[in-house]
Structure formats: C-alpha cells, structure tokens
Amino acid sequence: MLSVINNATKTDYSARDQKGKVAFYVLLWKRQGISLELFDDYWRDVHGPVCARLPGQYQYWQFHVAHNEGGLCPQIPGLDYTWDSEDNFDGIAELTFASVADRQTWFTASAILMDDEHNLFRKAIGYNSNPGNSITYIDRIPNGDPNGEVSAIKFHVMVKKANGASTEAFRRYLTETFAPKVSSSDSVLKFRLHLFEEVDNSRPDAAGVSHYEPAEKQYHAAYEIAFANHLEREKFFASSEYLTAIKDAAKYIKQIQPFPERTAYTFVYDGQMTLAGQRSSSVAELITEIGAVNQLQEDIESLMLNQNSYSLQTNGSSSSQASQSQPKATKKRTNYYTGLSADYSRPGLVTPYVAKKLIEDAERIVAMKEPKLPEIGPYYTLAQIEQENRDWWPTHCEALRQGRGDILTGEYRDDLVYFCQDGPYQGLEQQKEREKHWWALIAQPGVTMCWPIVMFFGEHTYFEWKCVDDETNETLAKGNVTWVRRGHRGACYLKTEQLTFYRDVFADQELLTLITTA
C-alpha cells in the first residue's frame, strides 16, 4: 500500500495535542449477537454523537481496530507473546481533557451513556492518564480529525509492565528511551504514548456490560504508531533507532499486543464538536463527498443542534399564502439541564441505572460536608463551588423522588436557616419535623416530582418544582426555592422556599412511614 502522505515532509503537527493534558482511554468489546459492521455503524453514527454532546471534552476519537493475530512485528527476546482470544477487543475510545476537573465534569455527565452501552458493548475497560502522561511525540499526519480511513498504516499497541520492574522504572524507560528513539526514526509518521493508572474496578457494571478487569489482565501503557506504508514499517523494524529502543525492553516490558487500526473517527476536536459529532459520521461523510457547503452554515448548524425552531407565521392569510411565507426563526428557551448528568424537568427521562448511580453519588457527596463552613478564596473558588452545585443537583432530585430524607437532611448544615411561609426554621430538628410531611406528599407512590427550571450562580441555586399525579396529570403541589450552598464541603446553610399545596398539607401516618429518616 502506497500512502498519499509524503513521507519526506518534516512538518510536525504534534503540538495540536498539547492542550489535552489528561486522557480517558477505553477498550471496547463488541457484544455478541451483532455483526462487526453493525457495531461500527451504531458506534460512530449513534453512540458517538451522543457522547460528543457531553461537557468537558477537548478531543474525542473512536479507533475501530482489528484483532491481534500476531506476526505484525518482530518478536523481542524475553517478552511474552501468548494471548487469549478474549484479549481481542474491537475498538478504542480516546477522550482528552484540558484538566482533571474537565474530565470529572465529563464523568459526572456520562451516566447517560451507560444506558446505551448494552446496545453494542459487552465489556468496556477504561484507563485514566494523569497530567503529562498522554503525549504525542511526533505527528506528521496532516489531518488530526479523521472521519474514516487514514492514509497511513496505524497500530494501537497495548503494553504490560514486567513483573520485576517498578512502575517508576517502567515509565522512565518508555519516556526516556523507548519513545524518544522510536519517534526519531524517519519511518515513523506518528508516535503517541499513554501511561495508565490502575483500572477503577469499583465502577459498577451497566446492564450486562462488564467494567471489571482483573489486575493480571490490565495494561500499564499504550502507544499509537503510524507508518506511510508497509515498506516503511519494515524499514523501521530494521533501523538502528528501533534496535536501540528495544535493547533493554525485557527488563521493563512483559508483553506487547498490537491492534491494527481499521478506521478512525473524530467527534470533538479543539474543544468543539466536529461535523461528525454534530450530525454523525455517515452524514458528515455524505456532506463532504458531495461538497454541501450550505450544510456548514450557522443557521443550519443551529437548527440541527436544536438551538432554534421554525414556525410559520400566517397572520390570518390563506393556506396558499402561508405556504409561500418564509419560515421565521424563533429562539427556543434554554434547556436548563444542558451539561448536567440527568434531566429532571419532566417524568420518564431518568433510567433506573442512572437513578441508582445518582443515589450512590448523593451519599458520597453528603459525606464530604465539613464541620466548619469553608471560606471562599483562591483554594475554594466560586467557580468550583458552582460546578460542585451543578454536579450535586441531579443527586438531590433523585433523593427527593425516592423519599430519601436521610440524604436530604444530610445536604443541610446543622445551623441551617430555612425561610418559608410558615417558618422561619433554624437547625435540623425544626427542619426535619416540618419537611417530613412535605417529602411524604411529594414522594408518595403514583406521584412524580419535576424541576423544569434550575439556575446556578456561584453558591446560589434557584429552582422551580411541581408534583404531577401519574394517573390524572393534575398538579398536587408546586413551588420555587433558593439554596445558598457552599459546594460539597459547605453544604446548604440558607434555604428560602415558597410552596403551594393543592391537596393535604400534612401527610397521613401511612405516607410518613415511607420516608427514610436520618
């Protein structure tokens, strides 16, 4: 295979990856019962655009790979080249982030993806890299945001550390010897290295998708390497650079497994959704092939991303006149849940899996409350507090829907001040006695609580809520609330609320028994 890439070029594009400081690198196994073609199409055209809309990402690539069948590179003496067929995965999702905080923002919002995983994966093992541990050493491939086949021979190589080598020595060998020597070869178009942290096996499985990987199966690093063609690949393996790079490999490396790349797709690049991220990979390919420049215009992009709707203004004219009228753009209201991990604006939007995870998150957040209200300053900024409030909000909604009074009380400080029409209340004992009746009414069976509006500003969170009867669709109660919440560490110390109940204001004893109390 001859490449269209001019291997003589010395242009190095590796700097374009520098803003991606940390990575989330996920190995993905196709679920049984679907073809590889269907797996590829669903992943790039359905799952990918959903993931692309989640906040925090700097880059998001999908690498569709072939299985490791051996024979792709010469064997290095002392390394283990045995593998199990179960080691063969079918794809890699690589997401990069400008900071650890951005990655956590994405993790918080990514619960929505869990419900889609079982459609195409049977196993998904995610590796994190710390700042400075995902680096592109050389990249002579001009196109950094591919959508399909790349004009190069590429491999994604998984690496296990030698049993007798320390993590520090293993990483030092890769970064100070192996990577510099490999990337200095004229035959190598691209070399990108990841140093992994241990897999978090506490991550729960998702509807039949395993997230667990035993320690002996885990990888400790991975690298992406590309050549202009197979001839350049063979020249590299015969080069002095390669021989120097692998001279002491057996001291530090136990096993390497190369996976040939079939295709690559980009959904987020430079912090922005690509055309594939906006419209799906196949649609992006069609637009590119036909040269449909109009599809890139701002009004179409806005329409396709649901930022605008179009309404036909007839002003009493006849239907024939109306049909000749031009559509007028009408700005839609903001979706208040954009960027949050779950949408509680109406019933039926949160799956049982996401609800379970949010309750676990709620319990974890409550445990982070500190005895003394933390000060706002350079070490605990308003921006951080606001982000923590955004992360907390869906967990609060789910705790209310499930009647978890223990969690709800834990969200308050002991010296809470609570203003409402039959208040004021101060302290948790007064709060619990009054609110338990409200919680019992709004979380009773056959009723769903919704929060159509929520707004955040610093330590202030404002929201409007209503309770809807699942059978009659009547509104039982509604209200608006402002919390002054100093993030996870400070919790809520001031709450103001206006409530209107259209049924009993005090719950009967049967409903009170359904509330979990602290």
Side-chain angles (χ1 to χ4, degrees):
M1 172 182 175
L2 295 178
S3 171
V4 298
I5 296 176
N6 180 4
N7 195 44
T9 180
K10 296 299 180 182
T11 304
D12 180 8
Y13 301 95
S14 60
R16 63 192 172 197
D17 294 336
Q18 289 179 356
K19 290 184 180 179
K21 302 296 185 184
V22 298
F24 184 49
Y25 190 96
V26 191
L27 308 183
L28 299 161
W29 283 254
K30 176 183 73 68
R31 79 168 174 87
Q32 296 173 339
I34 62 173
S35 67
L36 184 62
E37 181 182 12
L38 182 57
F39 167 82
D40 287 342
D41 290 346
Y42 189 94
W43 188 22
R44 69 189 178 101
D45 286 335
V46 181
H47 189 87
V50 174
C51 180
R53 283 159 169 76
L54 300 183
Q57 302 170 74
Y58 180 69
Q59 296 159 317
Y60 167 32
W61 294 289
Q62 287 182 4
F63 301 116
H64 297 226
V65 300
H67 289 177
N68 171 31
E69 297 178 348
L72 294 174
C73 57
Q75 293 192 358
I76 301 171
L79 269 61
D80 178 8
Y81 285 91
T82 61
W83 72 89
D84 192 295
S85 60
E86 180 58 25
D87 295 339
N88 278 318
F89 49 85
D90 303 287
I92 301 168
E94 182 184 336
L95 296 86
T96 71
F97 307 87
S99 67
V100 174
D102 283 348
R103 182 169 61 188
Q104 185 56 49
T105 295
W106 184 87
F107 281 148
T108 301
S110 67
I112 193 173
L113 296 176
M114 299 302 103
D115 295 315
D116 197 43
E117 279 196 349
H118 78 277
N119 290 322
L120 69 165
F121 307 130
R122 60 184 170 88
K123 184 176 178 180
I125 303 300
Y127 293 87
N128 287 315
S129 69
N130 283 338
N133 286 346
S134 288
I135 295 178
T136 303
Y137 285 78
I138 187 73
D139 189 355
R140 298 191 182 101
I141 301 175
N143 183 16
D145 56 346
N147 183 40
E149 292 187 2
V150 178
S151 298
I153 306 299
K154 288 180 67 182
F155 301 92
H156 298 268
V157 184
M158 310 307 298
V159 185
K160 289 183 181 178
K161 178 179 69 66
N163 293 333
S166 67
T167 299
E168 181 182 2
F170 169 74
R171 291 181 172 183
R172 188 166 57 246
Y173 163 72
L174 288 178
T175 57
E176 296 181 7
T177 300
F178 189 80
K181 287 298 181 182
V182 169
S183 57
S184 68
S185 170
D186 288 339
S187 294
V188 174
L189 288 181
K190 181 176 182 179
F191 185 83
R192 177 167 170 79
L193 175 67
H194 303 277
L195 304 176
F196 295 144
E197 302 304 308
E198 186 176 351
V199 172
D200 180 9
N201 277 328
S202 66
R203 184 180 172 213
D205 292 347
V209 181
S210 174
H211 294 152
Y212 177 83
E213 189 75 302
E216 65 273 14
K217 287 286 189 179
Q218 293 182 25
Y219 298 104
H220 303 95
Y223 61 87
E224 176 186 347
I225 190 167
F227 309 95
N229 50 54
H230 291 294
L231 179 61
E232 292 297 333
R233 183 194 69 179
E234 292 303 313
K235 286 169 63 177
F236 166 71
F237 287 133
S239 69
S240 60
E241 291 90 351
Y242 176 70
L243 295 176
T244 303
I246 66 168
K247 179 182 177 182
D248 296 320
K251 295 180 182 179
Y252 307 100
I253 296 176
K254 175 183 179 180
Q255 186 180 65
I256 60 173
Q257 292 199 53
F259 292 81
E261 180 180 295
R262 297 183 286 118
T263 50
Y265 305 94
T266 313
F267 297 88
V268 178
Y269 200 66
D270 287 340
Q272 302 293 323
M273 274 194 292
T274 63
L275 187 58
Q278 295 173 8
R279 306 281 292 274
S280 83
S281 169
S282 293
V283 171
E285 185 177 9
L286 288 171
I287 291 171
T288 302
E289 285 293 321
I290 206 168
V293 178
N294 67 299
Q295 293 290 328
L296 306 181
Q297 293 174 357
E298 185 177 349
D299 55 348
I300 290 185
E301 178 181 324
S302 181
L303 177 64
M304 297 306 297
L305 293 178
N306 292 322
Q307 293 173 352
N308 286 308
S309 62
Y310 283 82
S311 59
L312 201 59
Q313 306 297 317
T314 63
N315 296 321
S317 60
S318 67
S319 59
S320 61
Q321 290 173 318
S323 65
Q324 297 172 6
S325 301
Q326 293 297 317
K328 181 179 179 181
T330 303
K331 191 72 174 179
K332 290 183 67 177
R333 282 187 174 272
T334 301
N335 180 341
Y336 294 97
Y337 286 82
T338 299
L340 301 184
S341 59
D343 187 342
Y344 283 85
S345 61
R346 58 186 185 273
L349 300 180
V350 181
T351 65
Y353 174 82
V354 172
K356 178 177 180 294
K357 183 179 184 301
L358 288 171
I359 289 296
E360 293 171 354
D361 290 343
E363 293 171 337
R364 175 180 56 82
I365 289 172
V366 165
M368 297 170 66
K369 181 174 60 178
E370 298 178 357
K372 182 180 178 181
L373 187 68
E375 294 184 359
I376 300 173
Y379 300 107
Y380 200 42
T381 65
L382 274 176
Q384 180 180 349
I385 289 168
E386 180 177 321
Q387 184 58 55
E388 289 183 358
N389 288 347
R390 291 175 180 272
D391 296 342
W392 154 80
W393 172 250
T395 73
H396 169 74
C397 297
E398 189 57 42
L400 255 169
R401 279 190 178 176
Q402 295 194 25
R404 289 295 300 271
D406 53 335
I407 292 176
L408 298 171
T409 297
E411 294 176 333
Y412 299 134
R413 297 198 63 77
D414 291 346
D415 56 354
L416 170 75
V417 175
Y418 184 10
F419 293 144
C420 59
Q421 55 259 51
D422 57 352
Y425 300 106
Q426 185 168 9
L428 295 186
E429 291 307 314
Q430 293 183 12
Q431 165 269 328
K432 280 194 294 186
E433 180 59 32
R434 189 65 190 94
E435 277 201 297
K436 71 179 182 181
H437 289 273
W438 296 335
W439 293 339
L441 289 167
I442 61 184
Q444 64 180 286
V447 169
T448 302
M449 192 172 186
C450 307
W451 296 261
I453 295 175
V454 59
M455 303 176 186
F456 305 91
F457 185 79
E459 59 177 352
H460 298 84
T461 300
Y462 169 82
F463 54 93
E464 297 181 11
W465 61 270
K466 63 178 180 177
C467 285
V468 179
D469 189 298
D470 296 338
E471 183 68 26
T472 66
N473 202 39
E474 65 179 307
T475 299
L476 280 70
K478 67 177 183 179
N480 61 77
V481 185
T482 297
W483 281 46
V484 184
R485 180 182 186 273
R486 195 159 293 179
H488 300 340
R489 294 169 53 193
C492 176
Y493 60 90
L494 173 63
K495 176 180 179 180
T496 67
E497 183 164 22
Q498 181 278 321
L499 309 93
T500 302
F501 280 82
Y502 300 101
R503 291 186 182 175
D504 297 332
V505 178
F506 279 86
D508 59 36
Q509 191 59 39
E510 182 180 354
L511 290 178
L512 288 176
T513 60
L514 300 177
I515 295 299
T516 306
T517 56

